[in-house]
Protein backbone atom coordinates (compact mmCIF):
# COMPACT_ATOMS: atom_id res chain seq x y z
CA UNK A 1 0.00 0.00 0.00
CA UNK A 2 2.94 2.35 0.54
CA UNK A 3 3.54 2.81 -3.22
CA UNK A 4 0.02 3.42 -4.47
CA UNK A 5 -2.29 6.39 -4.07
CA UNK A 6 -4.48 6.10 -1.00
CA UNK A 7 -8.22 6.36 -1.55
CA UNK A 8 -9.66 8.46 1.24
CA UNK A 9 -13.11 9.79 2.11
CA UNK A 10 -14.85 12.11 4.55
CA UNK A 11 -17.88 11.33 6.67
CA UNK A 12 -19.22 14.71 7.73
CA UNK A 13 -19.04 17.92 5.71
CA UNK A 14 -18.84 20.27 8.68
CA UNK A 15 -16.18 22.53 10.12
CA UNK A 16 -13.93 19.85 11.59
CA UNK A 17 -13.35 18.26 8.19
CA UNK A 18 -13.61 21.37 6.01
CA UNK A 19 -13.11 24.49 8.15
CA UNK A 20 -15.29 27.44 9.01
CA UNK A 21 -15.71 26.71 12.73
CA UNK A 22 -14.50 28.48 15.84
CA UNK A 23 -10.83 27.74 15.25
CA UNK A 24 -8.13 26.98 12.69
CA UNK A 25 -8.66 23.25 12.64
CA UNK A 26 -9.80 21.28 9.64
CA UNK A 27 -8.54 18.12 8.01
CA UNK A 28 -9.08 18.81 4.32
CA UNK A 29 -6.59 21.68 4.07
CA UNK A 30 -3.92 19.60 5.85
CA UNK A 31 -4.50 16.59 3.67
CA UNK A 32 -4.03 18.73 0.58
CA UNK A 33 -0.42 19.14 1.75
CA UNK A 34 0.22 15.37 1.90
CA UNK A 35 1.10 13.75 -1.45
CA UNK A 36 -0.36 10.52 -2.75
CA UNK A 37 -3.98 10.96 -1.66
CA UNK A 38 -7.17 10.78 -3.71
CA UNK A 39 -10.48 11.87 -2.19
CA UNK A 40 -13.17 9.53 -3.49
CA UNK A 41 -16.16 10.70 -1.49
CA UNK A 42 -17.78 13.12 0.94
CA UNK A 43 -20.81 11.79 2.85
CA UNK A 44 -23.24 13.96 4.77
CA UNK A 45 -26.99 13.62 5.36
CA UNK A 46 -27.19 17.21 4.07
CA UNK A 47 -26.23 16.35 0.49
CA UNK A 48 -26.32 19.99 -0.58
CA UNK A 49 -23.70 20.83 2.04
CA UNK A 50 -21.46 17.98 0.88
CA UNK A 51 -21.80 19.17 -2.72
CA UNK A 52 -20.99 22.73 -1.69
CA UNK A 53 -17.87 21.61 0.14
CA UNK A 54 -16.77 19.71 -2.93
CA UNK A 55 -17.35 22.73 -5.16
CA UNK A 56 -15.03 24.77 -2.95
CA UNK A 57 -12.04 22.45 -3.40
CA UNK A 58 -9.69 22.28 -6.37
CA UNK A 59 -6.70 20.25 -7.48
CA UNK A 60 -5.87 16.69 -8.52
CA UNK A 61 -6.68 15.27 -5.08
CA UNK A 62 -10.35 16.13 -5.63
CA UNK A 63 -10.68 14.94 -9.22
CA UNK A 64 -13.57 12.52 -9.49
CA UNK A 65 -14.76 13.02 -5.88
CA UNK A 66 -18.46 12.25 -5.39
CA UNK A 67 -20.91 13.52 -2.78
CA UNK A 68 -23.22 11.11 -0.95
CA UNK A 69 -26.10 11.48 1.48
CA UNK A 70 -25.57 7.99 2.95
CA UNK A 71 -22.14 7.04 4.28
CA UNK A 72 -22.80 3.32 3.75
CA UNK A 73 -23.51 3.92 0.07
CA UNK A 74 -20.22 5.79 -0.20
CA UNK A 75 -18.25 3.06 1.55
CA UNK A 76 -19.66 0.36 -0.71
CA UNK A 77 -19.41 2.35 -3.94
CA UNK A 78 -15.95 3.85 -3.47
CA UNK A 79 -14.22 1.39 -1.11
CA UNK A 80 -11.84 3.92 0.49
CA UNK A 81 -8.71 2.83 2.29
CA UNK A 82 -9.33 5.32 5.08
CA UNK A 83 -12.01 7.74 6.23
CA UNK A 84 -12.09 10.90 8.31
CA UNK A 85 -15.13 10.86 10.62
CA UNK A 86 -16.15 14.28 11.94
CA UNK A 87 -19.82 14.46 12.86
CA UNK A 88 -21.69 15.72 15.95
CA UNK A 89 -21.30 13.50 19.04
CA UNK A 90 -24.93 12.39 18.92
CA UNK A 91 -24.53 11.13 15.33
CA UNK A 92 -21.91 8.42 15.88
CA UNK A 93 -20.16 6.20 18.38
CA UNK A 94 -22.78 3.51 18.96
CA UNK A 95 -23.85 0.20 17.43
CA UNK A 96 -27.27 1.69 16.66
CA UNK A 97 -28.07 1.63 12.91
CA UNK A 98 -27.42 5.05 11.43
CA UNK A 99 -25.05 5.99 14.23
CA UNK A 100 -22.78 2.99 13.72
CA UNK A 101 -20.27 4.75 11.47
CA UNK A 102 -17.22 3.24 13.15
CA UNK A 103 -18.70 -0.26 13.31
CA UNK A 104 -19.56 -0.18 9.60
CA UNK A 105 -16.07 1.02 8.68
CA UNK A 106 -14.43 -1.59 10.90
CA UNK A 107 -16.57 -4.33 9.34
CA UNK A 108 -15.28 -3.31 5.92
CA UNK A 109 -11.65 -3.06 7.04
CA UNK A 110 -11.49 0.72 6.53
CA UNK A 111 -9.02 2.68 8.66
CA UNK A 112 -10.39 5.68 10.56
CA UNK A 113 -9.38 9.06 11.90
CA UNK A 114 -12.22 9.96 14.26
CA UNK A 115 -12.85 13.36 15.79
CA UNK A 116 -13.40 13.58 19.51
CA UNK A 117 -15.46 12.90 21.52
CA UNK A 118 -16.10 9.25 20.77
CA UNK A 119 -19.84 9.86 21.09
CA UNK A 120 -22.50 11.74 22.98
CA UNK A 121 -23.69 8.78 25.01
CA UNK A 122 -22.31 6.98 28.02
CA UNK A 123 -19.22 4.72 27.86
CA UNK A 124 -21.22 1.53 28.18
CA UNK A 125 -23.00 2.44 24.91
CA UNK A 126 -19.72 3.21 23.15
CA UNK A 127 -17.88 0.12 24.40
CA UNK A 128 -19.32 -2.19 21.69
CA UNK A 129 -17.76 0.16 19.14
CA UNK A 130 -14.39 -0.16 20.86
CA UNK A 131 -14.77 -3.95 20.83
CA UNK A 132 -15.67 -4.00 17.13
CA UNK A 133 -12.67 -1.85 16.24
CA UNK A 134 -10.32 -4.00 18.31
CA UNK A 135 -11.62 -7.18 16.69
CA UNK A 136 -11.26 -5.76 13.17
CA UNK A 137 -7.60 -4.80 13.46
CA UNK A 138 -8.09 -1.55 11.54
CA UNK A 139 -5.84 1.43 12.28
CA UNK A 140 -7.51 4.24 14.21
CA UNK A 141 -6.54 7.71 15.33
CA UNK A 142 -8.71 9.98 17.49
CA UNK A 143 -8.44 13.74 17.08
CA UNK A 144 -6.55 14.70 20.22
CA UNK A 145 -4.28 16.95 18.19
CA UNK A 146 -2.55 18.47 21.24
CA UNK A 147 -0.63 15.22 21.65
CA UNK A 148 1.22 16.24 18.47
CA UNK A 149 1.86 19.81 19.66
CA UNK A 150 5.52 20.81 19.94
CA UNK A 151 4.90 22.47 23.30
CA UNK A 152 3.37 19.27 24.71
CA UNK A 153 6.30 17.24 23.39
CA UNK A 154 8.64 19.60 25.22
CA UNK A 155 6.55 19.33 28.39
CA UNK A 156 6.84 15.54 28.31
CA UNK A 157 10.59 15.81 27.81
CA UNK A 158 10.97 18.22 30.73
CA UNK A 159 8.95 15.92 32.99
CA UNK A 160 11.00 12.91 31.92
CA UNK A 161 14.28 14.65 32.76
CA UNK A 162 13.05 15.94 36.17
CA UNK A 163 12.70 12.90 38.45
CA UNK A 164 11.41 12.69 41.99
CA UNK A 165 8.77 14.52 43.99
CA UNK A 166 5.03 14.81 43.55
CA UNK A 167 3.24 15.59 40.33
CA UNK A 168 0.24 17.91 40.03
CA UNK A 169 -1.82 18.71 36.92
CA UNK A 170 -3.76 21.99 36.91
CA UNK A 171 -6.06 22.76 33.98
CA UNK A 172 -8.12 25.90 33.35
CA UNK A 173 -10.43 26.22 30.37
CA UNK A 174 -12.81 29.19 29.97
CA UNK A 175 -14.90 28.99 26.82
CA UNK A 176 -16.21 32.02 24.92
CA UNK A 177 -19.85 31.24 24.22
CA UNK A 178 -21.25 34.30 22.42
CA UNK A 179 -20.83 32.87 18.89
CA UNK A 180 -21.69 29.22 19.54
CA UNK A 181 -24.79 28.83 17.40
CA UNK A 182 -25.14 25.06 17.31
CA UNK A 183 -28.43 24.39 19.15
CA UNK A 184 -27.28 20.90 20.16
CA UNK A 185 -24.17 22.31 21.91
CA UNK A 186 -26.41 23.73 24.64
CA UNK A 187 -28.11 20.37 25.31
CA UNK A 188 -26.20 17.70 27.24
CA UNK A 189 -28.39 14.98 25.76
CA UNK A 190 -26.92 15.66 22.33
CA UNK A 191 -23.30 16.46 23.14
CA UNK A 192 -22.67 14.80 26.50
CA UNK A 193 -21.94 18.12 28.20
CA UNK A 194 -18.93 20.45 28.17
CA UNK A 195 -16.48 18.11 29.90
CA UNK A 196 -17.24 15.24 27.52
CA UNK A 197 -17.35 17.42 24.40
CA UNK A 198 -14.88 20.26 25.01
CA UNK A 199 -12.70 19.92 28.11
CA UNK A 200 -11.94 16.40 26.91
CA UNK A 201 -8.79 17.85 25.31
CA UNK A 202 -7.41 18.84 28.72
CA UNK A 203 -8.52 15.59 30.36
CA UNK A 204 -6.67 13.77 27.61
CA UNK A 205 -3.54 15.89 28.09
CA UNK A 206 -3.61 15.10 31.80
CA UNK A 207 -3.51 11.39 30.93
CA UNK A 208 -0.91 11.94 28.22
CA UNK A 209 1.42 13.77 30.60
CA UNK A 210 0.86 11.90 33.88
CA UNK A 211 -0.63 8.53 33.02
CA UNK A 212 -3.96 6.86 33.67
CA UNK A 213 -6.34 8.08 36.34
CA UNK A 214 -8.29 6.29 39.03
CA UNK A 215 -11.91 7.06 37.98
CA UNK A 216 -13.17 6.18 41.47
CA UNK A 217 -11.16 9.07 42.90
CA UNK A 218 -13.00 11.74 40.88
CA UNK A 219 -14.84 14.47 42.79
CA UNK A 220 -16.57 17.37 41.05
CA UNK A 221 -19.13 20.17 41.40
CA UNK A 222 -20.88 22.26 38.78
CA UNK A 223 -23.00 25.35 38.21
CA UNK A 224 -26.06 24.08 36.32
CA UNK A 225 -27.57 26.06 33.49
CA UNK A 226 -30.91 26.02 35.29
CA UNK A 227 -30.11 28.14 38.35
CA UNK A 228 -29.67 31.85 39.13
CA UNK A 229 -25.87 31.51 39.12
CA UNK A 230 -26.13 29.96 35.67
CA UNK A 231 -27.73 32.96 33.95
CA UNK A 232 -25.65 34.22 31.01
CA UNK A 233 -26.04 37.62 29.35
CA UNK A 234 -24.71 37.01 25.82
CA UNK A 235 -26.19 33.71 24.65
CA UNK A 236 -26.65 33.91 20.85
CA UNK A 237 -30.08 33.95 19.26
CA UNK A 238 -31.75 31.16 17.33
CA UNK A 239 -33.35 31.95 13.95
CA UNK A 240 -36.73 32.20 15.74
CA UNK A 241 -35.39 34.96 18.03
CA UNK A 242 -35.08 32.85 21.16
CA UNK A 243 -31.79 32.25 22.95
CA UNK A 244 -29.84 29.07 22.27
CA UNK A 245 -30.89 26.43 24.77
CA UNK A 246 -34.17 28.16 25.66
CA UNK A 247 -36.16 25.12 24.47
CA UNK A 248 -34.00 22.62 26.36
CA UNK A 249 -35.55 21.21 29.56
CA UNK A 250 -33.89 22.76 32.60
CA UNK A 251 -32.10 19.64 33.79
CA UNK A 252 -30.46 19.14 30.38
CA UNK A 253 -29.17 22.68 29.87
CA UNK A 254 -25.46 23.16 29.30
CA UNK A 255 -23.77 23.68 32.70
CA UNK A 256 -21.88 26.93 33.08
CA UNK A 257 -18.89 25.74 35.11
CA UNK A 258 -17.40 22.51 36.44
CA UNK A 259 -14.57 22.04 38.94
CA UNK A 260 -13.07 18.57 39.35
CA UNK A 261 -10.22 16.82 41.16
CA UNK A 262 -8.89 13.28 40.82
CA UNK A 263 -5.89 11.05 41.43
CA UNK A 264 -3.73 9.23 38.93
CA UNK A 265 -2.73 5.59 39.34
CA UNK A 266 0.79 6.83 40.03
CA UNK A 267 -0.38 8.86 43.04
CA UNK A 268 -0.18 12.20 41.22
CA UNK A 269 -3.20 14.49 41.53
CA UNK A 270 -5.15 16.74 39.15
CA UNK A 271 -7.58 19.63 39.19
CA UNK A 272 -9.59 20.89 36.24
CA UNK A 273 -11.88 23.92 36.05
CA UNK A 274 -13.96 24.37 32.92
CA UNK A 275 -16.37 27.25 32.36
CA UNK A 276 -18.57 28.72 29.65
CA UNK A 277 -18.35 32.35 30.71
CA UNK A 278 -16.33 34.47 28.26
CA UNK A 279 -17.89 36.71 25.63
CA UNK A 280 -17.16 37.04 21.90
CA UNK A 281 -14.81 34.39 20.41
CA UNK A 282 -11.45 34.13 22.18
CA UNK A 283 -11.09 31.34 24.75
CA UNK A 284 -8.76 31.50 27.75
CA UNK A 285 -6.99 28.18 28.25
CA UNK A 286 -3.91 27.13 30.19
CA UNK A 287 -2.53 24.13 31.99
CA UNK A 288 0.34 23.52 34.36
CA UNK A 289 2.28 20.55 35.70
CA UNK A 290 4.08 20.88 39.01
CA UNK A 291 6.86 18.70 40.35
CA UNK A 292 9.69 18.77 42.88
CA UNK A 293 11.23 22.17 42.18
CA UNK A 294 9.39 22.24 38.84
CA UNK A 295 6.58 24.27 37.35
CA UNK A 296 5.74 23.97 33.63
CA UNK A 297 3.01 26.23 32.26
CA UNK A 298 1.38 25.93 28.85
CA UNK A 299 -0.67 28.98 27.93
CA UNK A 300 -3.18 29.33 25.06
CA UNK A 301 -2.54 26.02 23.27
CA UNK A 302 -5.33 26.91 20.80
CA UNK A 303 -3.71 30.17 19.73
CA UNK A 304 -0.50 32.06 20.57
CA UNK A 305 0.99 29.13 22.46
CA UNK A 306 3.53 29.95 25.16
CA UNK A 307 5.52 27.49 27.28
CA UNK A 308 7.30 28.58 30.45
CA UNK A 309 9.30 26.49 32.89
CA UNK A 310 10.79 27.03 36.34
CA UNK A 311 13.36 24.32 36.90
CA UNK A 312 14.65 22.75 40.13
CA UNK A 313 17.17 24.86 42.01
CA UNK A 314 16.05 28.14 40.45
CA UNK A 315 13.53 30.90 41.14
CA UNK A 316 13.38 32.39 37.66
CA UNK A 317 11.09 31.09 34.94
CA UNK A 318 12.22 30.87 31.33
CA UNK A 319 10.31 30.85 28.05
CA UNK A 320 10.86 27.68 26.06
CA UNK A 321 11.34 28.37 22.31
CA UNK A 322 8.77 26.55 20.20
CA UNK A 323 8.96 27.72 16.59
CA UNK A 324 6.30 27.16 13.92
CA UNK A 325 3.92 24.31 14.69
CA UNK A 326 0.85 22.68 13.18
CA UNK A 327 -0.33 19.77 15.32
CA UNK A 328 -3.31 19.24 13.00
CA UNK A 329 -0.95 18.55 10.11
CA UNK A 330 1.27 16.32 12.26
CA UNK A 331 -1.77 14.33 13.40
CA UNK A 332 -2.85 13.72 9.80
CA UNK A 333 0.66 12.87 8.63
CA UNK A 334 1.00 10.28 11.39
CA UNK A 335 -2.29 8.64 10.46
CA UNK A 336 -1.56 8.58 6.73
CA UNK A 337 1.88 7.11 7.38
CA UNK A 338 0.35 4.40 9.55
CA UNK A 339 -2.19 3.47 6.86
CA UNK A 340 0.53 3.37 4.20
CA UNK A 341 2.94 1.19 6.16
CA UNK A 342 0.73 -0.74 8.56
CA UNK A 343 2.89 0.54 11.42
CA UNK A 344 0.65 2.48 13.83
CA UNK A 345 3.39 3.28 16.37
CA UNK A 346 3.40 6.94 15.32
CA UNK A 347 -0.25 7.42 16.26
CA UNK A 348 -0.47 8.97 19.71
CA UNK A 349 -4.16 8.46 20.35
CA UNK A 350 -5.57 5.19 19.02
CA UNK A 351 -9.20 4.40 19.81
CA UNK A 352 -8.39 2.09 22.70
CA UNK A 353 -6.50 4.88 24.48
CA UNK A 354 -9.06 7.55 23.62
CA UNK A 355 -11.73 5.38 25.17
CA UNK A 356 -9.99 5.72 28.55
CA UNK A 357 -10.11 9.51 28.18
CA UNK A 358 -13.80 9.20 27.29
CA UNK A 359 -14.45 7.17 30.44
CA UNK A 360 -12.67 9.75 32.59
CA UNK A 361 -14.66 12.66 31.17
CA UNK A 362 -17.86 10.82 31.97
CA UNK A 363 -16.63 10.09 35.49
CA UNK A 364 -16.20 13.86 35.96
CA UNK A 365 -19.62 14.58 34.46
CA UNK A 366 -21.23 12.01 36.73
CA UNK A 367 -19.45 13.29 39.82
CA UNK A 368 -20.63 16.83 39.06
CA UNK A 369 -24.15 15.56 38.31
CA UNK A 370 -24.27 17.64 35.16
CA UNK A 371 -26.00 14.94 33.13
CA UNK A 372 -29.10 12.85 33.73
Amino acid sequence: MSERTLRIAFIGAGAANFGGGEGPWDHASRLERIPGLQVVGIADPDLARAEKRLSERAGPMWAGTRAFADFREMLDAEKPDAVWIAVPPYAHGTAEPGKDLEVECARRGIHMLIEKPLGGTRPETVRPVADAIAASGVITSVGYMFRYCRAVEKMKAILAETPGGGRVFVGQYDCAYSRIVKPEWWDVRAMGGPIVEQATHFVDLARHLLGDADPASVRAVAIPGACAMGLLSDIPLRPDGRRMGADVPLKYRHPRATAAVWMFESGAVASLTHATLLHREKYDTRLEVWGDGLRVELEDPYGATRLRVRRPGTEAAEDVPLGPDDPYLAENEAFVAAVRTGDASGIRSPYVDAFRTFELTWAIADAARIVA
Side-chain angles (χ1 to χ4, degrees):
M1 185 177 293
S2 60
E3 297 301 320
R4 68 178 177 87
T5 297
L6 290 183
R7 297 170 58 83
I8 68 171
F10 297 93
I11 300 179
N17 270 338
F18 290 96
E22 301 117 29
W25 43 85
D26 76 89
H27 294 297
S29 66
R30 271 70 182 187
L31 291 168
E32 287 175 337
R33 297 159 63 182
I34 302 174
L37 303 179
Q38 184 71 47
V39 180
V40 297
I42 304 171
D44 194 290
D46 184 345
L47 182 60
R49 180 166 74 161
E51 291 172 337
K52 183 176 186 298
R53 293 297 196 184
L54 182 54
S55 72
E56 296 167 344
R57 317 310 292 198
M61 189 176 93
W62 301 93
T65 306
R66 297 170 60 194
F68 296 82
D70 189 312
F71 76 93
R72 289 170 295 258
E73 181 185 352
M74 180 185 72
L75 298 180
D76 291 337
E78 301 296 340
K79 297 179 173 54
D81 299 306
V83 298
W84 276 248
I85 298 174
V87 299
Y90 60 81
H92 76 118
T94 78
E96 177 185 342
K99 300 180 181 181
D100 55 349
L101 283 62
E102 296 88 349
V103 172
E104 288 293 314
C105 288
R107 185 170 66 82
R108 293 168 171 82
I110 299 171
H111 308 296
M112 293 171 270
L113 191 151
I114 305 159
E115 268 305 328
K116 63 80 201 168
L118 300 185
T121 57
R122 301 186 59 82
E124 52 266 31
T125 307
V126 178
R127 186 176 293 280
V129 178
D131 293 341
I133 287 173
S136 72
V138 298
I139 293 169
T140 57
S141 176
V142 176
Y144 288 112
M145 72 286 178
F146 287 137
R147 291 193 175 208
Y148 301 85
C149 177
R150 184 167 298 167
V152 173
E153 291 175 342
K154 289 182 179 290
M155 288 185 78
K156 282 184 71 72
I158 291 169
L159 292 172
E161 68 190 23
T162 310
R167 288 283 192 263
V168 179
F169 176 92
V170 181
Q172 298 176 342
Y173 194 127
D174 198 357
C175 164
Y177 67 86
S178 305
R179 310 289 170 84
I180 299 179
V181 293
K182 300 175 185 176
E184 65 272 14
W185 193 85
W186 299 86
D187 187 339
V188 300
R189 293 171 298 179
M191 306 293 273
I195 301 297
V196 173
E197 192 274 334
Q198 190 176 74
T200 183
H201 278 299
F202 275 28
V203 175
D204 186 71
L205 279 179
R207 291 188 53 250
H208 184 56
L209 293 169
L210 295 180
D212 275 324
D214 173 10
S217 71
V218 174
R219 301 292 183 271
V221 292
I223 298 175
C227 69
M229 183 65 70
L231 294 177
L232 298 176
S233 61
D234 202 32
I235 296 176
L237 297 176
R238 295 160 48 104
D240 62 9
R242 292 184 296 168
R243 297 288 179 185
M244 289 287 167
D247 59 338
V248 177
L250 294 180
K251 67 178 181 177
Y252 298 122
R253 289 187 180 177
H254 188 287
R256 309 321 192 199
T258 305
V261 295
W262 69 88
M263 179 170 284
F264 296 89
E265 292 177 355
S266 66
V269 297
S271 69
L272 172 68
T273 302
H274 177 280
T276 303
L277 295 174
L278 292 178
H279 290 183
R280 300 182 68 85
E281 295 181 340
K282 182 174 173 52
Y283 292 18
D284 192 312
T285 57
R286 66 193 68 232
L287 61 89
E288 300 178 8
V289 177
W290 304 347
D292 183 11
L294 181 69
R295 182 188 183 108
V296 190
E297 179 183 0
L298 176 61
E299 181 180 349
D300 194 14
Y302 288 97
T305 306
R306 182 185 186 192
L307 183 64
R308 290 177 60 81
V309 58
R310 174 175 167 176
R311 300 179 187 275
T314 68
E315 294 183 348
E318 63 183 85
D319 285 317
V320 178
L322 298 174
D325 193 19
D326 188 342
Y328 311 102
L329 176 60
E331 171 188 48
N332 279 287
E333 288 176 330
F335 177 63
V336 169
V339 173
R340 286 191 185 283
T341 65
D343 178 3
S345 61
I347 292 176
R348 299 178 184 177
S349 184
Y351 198 96
V352 64
D353 187 84
F355 187 76
R356 291 195 286 272
T357 292
F358 188 67
E359 288 181 307
L360 182 55
T361 59
W362 272 98
I364 295 170
D366 287 340
R369 298 182 182 176
I370 61 175
V371 290

